[in-house]
Amino acid sequence: MQIPVIVQTVGLLVLSNVFMTIAWYGHLKNMSHRAWWYAALVSWGIALFEYMLQVPANRIGHTQYSLAQLKIMQEAITLSVFVPFAMLYMGQPFKLDYVWAALCLVGAVYFIFRS
């Protein structure tokens, strides 16, 4: 049984976003007492896994989706990963602005995929 391209693409993009969000922001909680270059090296190590998922996601996705569709899909997934990370891991409060941003991205997804 072949896994549909959309499932492969979205699945890999979600996983890659988890790694990238941790790489970009996780050090703010865990390594604030360390030198910036140490946090950068650790983040690059984490980001390597992100690229190992992101590159195949885009290559698989590009067999059926345009570059613009892949980018908008990526941005929508980024917000859906970032908000729970910010709230649950980083302890940030929920803001109504998250909802408005999500609605803007829903609009972007609609317009980029409508034809």
Side-chain angles (χ1 to χ4, degrees), residues 75-90:
E75 295 305 325
I77 291 168
T78 296
L79 186 61
S80 68
V81 169
F82 176 78
V83 170
F85 173 84
M87 292 173 57
L88 299 173
Y89 185 74
M90 296 296 288

Side-chain angles (χ1 to χ4, degrees), residues 9-93:
T9 302
V10 169
L12 288 169
L13 288 175
V14 167
L15 291 173
S16 74
N17 265 278
V18 168
F19 280 105
M20 202 59 184
T21 300
I22 292 168
W24 281 3
Y25 303 107
H27 64 87
L28 297 174
K29 181 175 181 178
N30 296 326
M31 290 189 264
S32 60
H33 62 284
R34 300 272 191 165
W36 71 265
W37 57 265
Y38 182 83
L41 289 175
V42 171
S43 293
W44 284 343
I46 295 168
L48 172 63
F49 293 105
E50 186 270 343
Y51 283 105
M52 293 177 73
L53 298 166
Q54 178 80 6
V55 170
N58 285 324
R59 292 176 67 100
I60 292 166
H62 197 252
T63 64
Q64 290 186 5
Y65 302 103
S66 71
L67 187 62
Q69 288 172 324
L70 287 170
K71 181 59 181 170
I72 295 299
M73 190 184 312
Q74 168 69 27
E75 295 305 325
I77 291 168
T78 296
L79 186 61
S80 68
V81 169
F82 176 78
V83 170
F85 173 84
M87 292 173 57
L88 299 173
Y89 185 74
M90 296 296 288
Q92 298 293 303

